Amino acid sequence: MLPAYISHPDCMKHEMGALHPECPERIAAIRDHLLMKGLLEFMQLYDAPVATEEQLGRAHALRHVREVADKSPPSGYSQIDPDTWMNPHSYQAALRSAGAAVLATDLVLSGEAPVAFCNVRPPGHHAEHAASGGFCFFNNVAVGIRHALDVHGLERVALVDFDVHHGNGSEDILCNDARVLMCSTYELNLYPFCGDEPRGLNMVNIGLAPRSGGDAFREAVDWGWIPALDAFRPQMIFISAGFDAHREDDMGNLGLVEADYEWVTRRVMEVAQRHAQGRVVSCLEGGYVLSPLARSVAAHVKVLIGAD
Ligand SMILES: [Zn+2]
């Protein structure tokens, strides 16, 4: 029973132009670094399946699912918003990214894998119930969470999101779903410019001031997330694993380092061991400078799979 690593070559065919930061090389940089660190030896590798319309429909309006399919260009690019584009492979990559979260959920809840990491793109946490945006088309973690609740019958699932940007899409889909607790940290006054007023009682949104650093982040997790998670007693935890709060990533200014990602992963794993039989699914979100991205993911995965 090895931890699962889920990815797919289709995730590297989606691209949004040569200079776009959410680039295919992110997937390869992460894979190569996990390989170099010897961490992939401890994991079972799986190809991400495509998510079905039924699976996507648990988190999204069906008209949104069909709109994404309709906007898929036969050649060239189609624009979704100023930052988000589709090429002819984007739709398939988006289906694989969401399908990875579904497979991860099945593997972890069937006991075939203790935990799972999804090295997939496009990311998902800015995708709302009925809207793409912010490099995202389908909300991968929300699709996985609804699969865990609606198909596997879990009653309480938590989502933690440490991307430098607030997971507005996840909040849009999951707010006021009493079966879910979402805990988020993000940088204030940054895209998508929301989160400061939580949209439901099941949301723990903690905005951090620019340049506040790892100490402020850890304090927010210890005083904001952990008591809420312990009170909620999740049966499974999903992680929106974005690494763009790293100090070498110019997407944000929170100044985190690998040790902070290692630390927060350990805190989340401790909660999972207390309440959720250690069941955790982590899905890649942001992180745009390849070297700190790959190093941060390795720090995260090392703790996730218990190789620390
Ligand atoms: Zn981000």
Side-chain angles (χ1 to χ4, degrees):
M1 195 179 85
L2 290 170
Y5 169 94
I6 307 172
S7 190
H8 197 281
D10 286 352
C11 293
M12 292 192 65
K13 294 182 185 165
H14 157 61
E15 50 86 21
M16 299 185 280
L19 297 176
H20 200 290
E22 205 286 276
C23 63
E25 291 78 10
R26 300 172 65 231
I27 298 293
I30 290 169
R31 181 198 57 214
D32 292 353
H33 198 70
L34 292 178
L35 195 61
M36 194 265 283
K37 285 283 184 184
L39 294 169
L40 280 188
E41 285 172 40
F42 298 101
M43 306 181 82
Q44 183 77 43
L45 276 49
Y46 295 87
D47 272 344
V50 293
T52 64
E53 197 171 79
E54 188 181 9
Q55 290 163 349
L56 295 168
R58 295 194 181 99
H60 293 285
L62 278 180
R63 67 181 156 80
H64 169 68
V65 176
R66 289 170 190 161
E67 248 174 51
V68 175
D70 289 346
K71 284 180 180 162
S72 181
S75 63
Y77 298 97
S78 64
Q79 185 176 15
I80 307 300
D81 73 17
D83 302 320
T84 311
W85 300 73
M86 295 183 82
N87 77 351
H89 306 285
S90 302
Y91 180 60
Q92 190 72 4
L95 293 179
R96 298 271 183 206
S97 287
V102 172
L103 174 61
T105 303
D106 286 339
L107 291 170
V108 168
L109 288 178
S110 68
E112 285 175 72
V115 296
F117 176 70
C118 302
N119 185 18
V120 292
R121 59 182 286 282
H125 75 155
H126 297 307
E128 299 185 345
H129 179 66
S132 304
F135 317 162
C136 303
F137 305 94
F138 300 129
N139 195 309
N140 309 321
V141 287
V143 170
I145 287 169
R146 285 279 165 76
H147 185 72
L149 294 165
D150 296 347
V151 177
H152 288 274
L154 293 194
E155 293 169 347
R156 295 179 309 281
V157 176
L159 168 62
V160 302
D161 184 333
F162 51 71
D163 192 279
V164 80
H165 305 100
H166 180 54
N168 60 305
S170 308
E171 178 166 29
D172 181 64
I173 294 165
L174 300 170
C175 69
N176 299 315
D177 183 339
R179 304 168 298 172
V180 179
L181 173 71
M182 177 175 168
C183 297
S184 165
T185 52
Y186 57 92
E187 184 175 326
L188 291 167
N189 305 317
L190 200 65
Y191 179 89
F193 304 101
C194 64
D196 306 346
E197 288 175 29
R199 290 173 55 187
L201 295 173
N202 61 331
M203 296 288 145
V204 178
N205 299 352
I206 306 177
L208 298 168
R211 291 176 291 283
S212 52
D215 288 346
F217 170 69
R218 295 185 188 207
E219 202 168 305
V221 169
D222 268 343
W223 293 97
W225 289 12
I226 303 296
L229 287 164
D230 277 328
F232 184 69
R233 296 181 297 113
Q235 297 164 297
M236 182 175 183
I237 302 178
F238 284 73
I239 304 178
S240 264
F243 299 92
D244 41 7
H246 194 284
R247 71 177 173 197
E248 292 169 40
D249 196 312
D250 46 18
M251 204 57 90
N253 254 313
L254 283 186
L256 302 192
V257 295
E258 291 92 307
D260 294 308
Y261 292 116
E262 192 178 321
W263 177 87
V264 70
T265 308
R266 188 165 289 118
R267 297 301 262 160
V268 171
M269 292 306 294
E270 287 165 2
V271 173
Q273 270 135 24
R274 283 199 289 277
H275 305 289
Q277 303 168 43
R279 299 187 293 209
V280 175
V281 166
S282 173
C283 297
L284 181 67
E285 301 283 0
Y288 301 100
V289 180
L290 299 182
S291 171
L293 169 64
R295 286 184 274 124
S296 300
V297 171
H300 169 63
V301 166
K302 189 177 69 174
V303 177
L304 186 73
I305 69 174
D308 51 321

